[in-house]
Amino acid sequence: MTNITLKDEKTALLIMDYQNDILANLGERKAPLLDRATGVLQAAREAHLPIIHVVVRFREGYPEASPRNRGFSAIRQTGRLLEGTPGAEIHERVAPLSGESVVTKRRVGAFSTTDLEVILRSLGVTRLILLGVATSGVVLSTVRWAADMDYELVVVEDCCADGDEEVHRVLTQKVFPRQASVISSQEVLAAL
């Protein structure tokens, strides 16, 4: 990491899709991921950064899940991520505190179908620290959208995870560095 400032009024932390149903898919990788994310989240809180939790949830009957959408159709069939169910809740270790925003999306990326941009604009945020599951889902979609909106981006590589570890590696080592600084949780802690 070279000369990245993270502790200022222009920086916000987005912790995306750290929900019970999603984290359950990570198996033995879940606990260490939560350990690192909890550390980064605590450091961001101590630095008084805005914390925004982003979740994907569907209404009863899944009206947002088109049969043409492969991913959401599969979720619909399993009954996962339904509003009001324990599986759709944010994991207790990274749950929001009073005053932290929760943004609900009906699509993959954090900006699509949400008021995230309104919140960021009202806070004067120009830099985003991103943590999320899955790397090939919410993180990729959010990096692309946010880069097009001229945000400075920091992806915390070891606080992101994907079902396919090779996809995670390619995205964090080859794709994201074109639009974001990709750093470790330890580097974030040092910068905060």
Side-chain angles (χ1 to χ4, degrees), residues 6-168:
L6 298 180
K7 189 176 180 180
D8 67 23
E9 69 281 352
K10 295 181 179 182
T11 303
L13 182 130
L14 270 60
I15 181 162
M16 305 177 294
D17 294 1
Y18 266 72
Q19 295 163 261
N20 294 318
D21 278 346
I22 294 170
L23 291 169
N25 295 329
L26 296 178
E28 64 189 33
R29 293 182 294 150
K30 175 182 165 182
L33 177 74
L34 281 166
D35 290 343
R36 292 185 298 270
T38 301
V40 169
L41 184 58
Q42 183 58 37
R45 286 172 173 156
E46 290 171 6
H48 304 290
L49 298 184
I51 310 295
I52 302 169
H53 301 262
V54 178
V55 295
V56 58
R57 293 182 177 143
F58 300 97
R59 295 180 194 113
E60 187 172 338
Y62 294 86
E64 307 87 359
S66 167
R68 295 181 306 279
N69 185 311
R70 288 184 188 184
F72 289 163
S73 290
I75 290 170
R76 180 184 191 153
Q77 291 175 2
T78 65
R80 296 173 45 232
L81 299 171
L82 189 62
E83 284 181 341
T85 64
E89 293 304 312
I90 297 168
H91 192 280
E92 64 185 0
R93 290 195 52 201
V94 293
L97 298 180
S98 177
E100 295 177 354
S101 297
V102 177
V103 172
T104 299
K105 60 191 174 81
R106 310 296 183 179
R107 287 290 178 252
V108 176
F111 288 94
S112 179
T113 70
T114 74
D115 58 356
L116 177 60
E117 173 62 14
V118 172
I119 294 168
L120 295 173
R121 200 171 343 115
S122 73
L123 295 171
V125 168
T126 59
R127 182 182 306 107
L128 302 175
I129 303 171
L130 305 177
L131 291 67
V133 182
T135 313
S136 62
V138 68
V139 181
L140 174 60
S141 293
T142 303
V143 164
R144 293 298 200 194
W145 190 305
D148 278 351
M149 296 171 66
D150 299 323
Y151 283 96
E152 182 181 343
L153 300 170
V154 176
V155 174
V156 187
E157 184 273 334
D158 58 347
C159 289
C160 297
D162 199 272
D164 185 325
E165 291 186 53
E166 177 63 7
V167 169
H168 173 82

Side-chain angles (χ1 to χ4, degrees), residues 135 164-177:
T135 313
D164 185 325
E165 291 186 53
E166 177 63 7
V167 169
H168 173 82
R169 185 193 69 75
V170 169
L171 288 170
T172 58
Q173 293 180 16
K174 305 228 180 243
V175 177
F176 293 165

